[in-house]
Amino acid sequence: MEDISKLAHLLLHWIEHNRSHESTYLDWIQRAGEAGRQDVAGEIRKSLELSQGMSRHFEKAVELLKGGRDV
């Protein structure tokens, strides 16, 4: 059970970590676009979307761990 509590804590940390980078990614998407590098901006946007998807999966994992119980 101790490992499950640690895992829940890690998952929450990973969610927060991913979210903490979102504004930086958005800033650089804009900067790359303004510099005429839509190709680069597009790749950074894809990375942002993947990061957001990871967070959604982490959130789902937290919910599964809880399963109605204290974690």
Side-chain angles (χ1 to χ4, degrees):
M1 189 63 167
E2 186 175 323
D3 283 346
I4 297 302
S5 293
K6 287 181 183 179
L7 178 56
H9 179 77
L10 277 172
L11 288 164
L12 293 171
H13 169 74
W14 294 336
I15 293 165
E16 179 58 33
H17 180 85
N18 284 349
R19 288 186 179 151
S20 73
H21 289 290
E22 287 183 13
S23 64
T24 302
Y25 297 153
L26 289 168
D27 182 46
W28 284 101
I29 290 166
Q30 181 178 348
R31 289 182 187 203
E34 290 171 355
R37 296 305 307 260
Q38 294 301 326
D39 54 342
V40 174
E43 292 303 314
I44 298 170
R45 181 166 298 285
K46 288 177 189 177
S47 296
L48 169 61
E49 291 166 359
L50 288 169
S51 179
Q52 291 170 329
M54 287 173 54
S55 291
R56 285 190 297 274
H57 286 287
F58 291 153
E59 289 167 352
K60 177 67 176 176
V62 169
E63 290 304 313
L64 291 170
L65 283 175
K66 286 182 181 178
R69 296 176 295 149
D70 291 333
V71 184

